[in-house]
Amino acid sequence: MLRRFVDVKDEEVGAVLWSFLYFFTLMSGYFILKPLRDAMGTAGGVKQLKWLFTATFGVMLIAVPVFSALVARWPRKRVIPFIYRLFLVQLLGFFVLLKLDVSRELVARTFYVWVSVYNLFVVSIFWSFMADLFASEQARRLFGLISAGGTAGVIAGLLLVRMLAVPVGPVNLILVALVLLEVSVRCVQRLSRWAHDVHATPPEEGPVGGGILAGLRLLATSPFLLALGFQTVFYTVTSTFLYLLQVQLVDTVALGEAERTAAFASIDLWVQAATLGLQAFVTARLLSKLGLVVALAVTPVLTLLGFVGLAVLPSVWLFIGVRSLRGAAHYALERPCRELLFTTVGREEKYKAKSVIDTVVYRGGDTLATWAGDGLRVLGLGAAGLLLASAPVAALWLAVSLFLARHPRVRERTQAPAALSTDAQAL
């Protein structure tokens, strides 16, 4: 039955299903926490967000070298469960503090920063693990289905929040996220055993080696990785501008923490529903006809058109439409293709350079966007001006995406003629 949806071999079925469950539980748990994080972040007013983003960026600058030191010395089968369970203990601490109502405002802001760090690290580690676990040929066939596991997890998490945030209380949902994170750890352990049993490649499971700042060095010296970094910056800058508009919108219509949590969950649910629809009915057909170039170009083009449309004809429903279509295109098309690109680089790049791009560079783009947004408002630009200022960023994002899709490394490793149709079906 699985082969009706993806070209999977007998020895890969177990790994694909465990990877699907891994991403499902990881994203479901995060999207239980995300609406609560967003509600707490807006409790102090929209103006506080730039300081929260800046604090998150500062924490990333400390956390990434620590992660690099761990992967340099420990094998992945020990590092990943250790990091996830460290986050689990910290999350349990936040649950206790929030239930006891200790220094509510300070804990809420700290929780916002922590969840922002948690999200990027656990997802970045997941895709680094996938890129290390599967070869490029396997990634072409399997990453699409594995990505769908994350989308299904997001929808499940958001539905739980919508149903339970008001009657149960959003803080109590943290306990569900704790259980899901432990399930993710068990999936990592099972996949590590599969890699050893099936492939018998101990060197691939050993420590990555290298220095703690190797990720920054690799990023600075590789045009390919640098382009991936710029692609991330342009995506995050435009995402943050859209997020700031969303925060203003929700803040005007929902006053209580539970109501704000449910409102953020509702918006995210529209995004993920559109994503699942694209993954099921559009992605494979689009890629089989038009290929990787179009898959990476769709999201920046939609961003450019959507932002201009919102600037000219602002409305709540158009905002939800733009947010949903843009998010769906990113998760269903751009993100799987972007992760496929990382299968073309070495292990040190997969774990260290990728962690820098997915965390420090990502949150650096957030920080830049929040401060730039404040600066534009000081100059007298409203929401329309903010959106129009984002248009050149979207154009640069499109140019970088086309460069990556046409890079010789990518053409050689991921776009072999015989594999293109298989790649399209998987993604």
Side-chain angles (χ1 to χ4, degrees), residues 135-216:
S136 295
E137 184 275 331
Q138 292 174 304
R140 290 195 298 267
R141 294 184 287 106
L142 306 176
F143 273 14
L145 180 63
I146 293 171
S147 297
T151 304
V154 170
I155 293 174
L158 292 172
L159 286 174
L160 280 173
V161 173
R162 284 194 65 184
M163 291 186 297
L164 301 177
V166 175
V168 174
V171 173
N172 291 323
L173 293 177
I174 291 177
L175 295 176
V176 181
L178 287 170
V179 174
L180 290 169
L181 184 55
E182 177 59 27
V183 175
S184 298
V185 172
R186 302 301 176 92
C187 292
V188 172
Q189 294 170 337
R190 185 63 185 84
L191 285 166
S192 295
R193 288 197 296 271
W194 172 84
H196 185 273
D197 295 341
V198 174
H199 293 294
T201 53
E204 290 298 311
E205 296 187 25
V208 174
I212 63 174
L213 299 179
L216 292 172

Side-chain angles (χ1 to χ4, degrees), residues 75-339:
R76 68 189 183 194
K77 66 181 180 181
R78 293 181 59 191
V79 171
I80 299 175
F82 171 78
I83 292 175
Y84 282 2
R85 282 179 172 148
L86 182 63
F87 278 127
L88 192 152
V89 171
Q90 294 168 352
L91 184 57
L92 182 60
F94 277 113
F95 172 77
V96 173
L97 291 175
L98 290 170
K99 290 297 290 184
L100 295 177
D101 205 25
V102 177
S103 302
R104 182 76 176 188
E105 186 174 340
L106 176 61
V107 172
R109 292 177 181 177
T110 305
F111 182 75
Y112 185 97
V113 173
W114 181 89
V115 173
S116 301
V117 173
Y118 164 82
N119 164 46
L120 294 184
F121 257 106
V122 297
V123 174
S124 177
I125 290 171
F126 168 81
W127 281 114
S128 294
F129 186 33
M130 292 296 105
D132 201 22
L133 196 66
F134 297 104
S136 295
E137 184 275 331
Q138 292 174 304
R140 290 195 298 267
R141 294 184 287 106
L142 306 176
F143 273 14
L145 180 63
I146 293 171
S147 297
T151 304
V154 170
I155 293 174
L158 292 172
L159 286 174
L160 280 173
V161 173
R162 284 194 65 184
M163 291 186 297
L164 301 177
V166 175
V168 174
V171 173
N172 291 323
L173 293 177
I174 291 177
L175 295 176
V176 181
L178 287 170
V179 174
L180 290 169
L181 184 55
E182 177 59 27
V183 175
S184 298
V185 172
R186 302 301 176 92
C187 292
V188 172
Q189 294 170 337
R190 185 63 185 84
L191 285 166
S192 295
R193 288 197 296 271
W194 172 84
H196 185 273
D197 295 341
V198 174
H199 293 294
T201 53
E204 290 298 311
E205 296 187 25
V208 174
I212 63 174
L213 299 179
L216 292 172
R217 174 182 56 79
L218 292 167
L219 180 60
T221 56
S222 169
F224 183 73
L225 293 174
L226 200 59
L228 283 167
F230 276 115
Q231 182 194 42
T232 299
V233 168
F234 297 143
Y235 169 71
T236 55
V237 166
T238 54
S239 297
T240 302
F241 282 161
L242 200 61
Y243 175 73
L244 292 174
L245 293 176
Q246 175 181 316
V247 168
Q248 292 175 351
L249 174 66
V250 172
D251 201 38
T252 59
V253 299
L255 299 178
E257 183 178 284
E259 288 79 6
R260 285 198 306 273
T261 301
F264 279 115
S266 297
I267 293 174
D268 284 332
L269 186 59
W270 279 104
V271 173
Q272 299 306 321
T275 300
L276 195 59
L278 278 178
Q279 287 173 328
F281 304 110
V282 177
T283 304
R285 294 177 178 85
L286 180 66
L287 286 178
S288 63
K289 293 180 181 297
L290 301 176
L292 188 63
V293 172
V294 173
L296 288 174
V298 168
T299 310
V301 169
L302 283 177
T303 299
L304 180 60
L305 296 177
F307 280 21
V308 172
L310 281 171
V312 175
L313 297 171
S315 73
V316 173
W317 288 108
L318 182 58
F319 171 84
I320 293 175
V322 170
R323 174 89 159 75
S324 300
L325 286 175
R326 179 183 183 275
H330 170 70
Y331 291 114
L333 296 172
E334 184 185 49
R335 186 63 188 262
C337 292
R338 177 177 174 274
E339 301 305 336

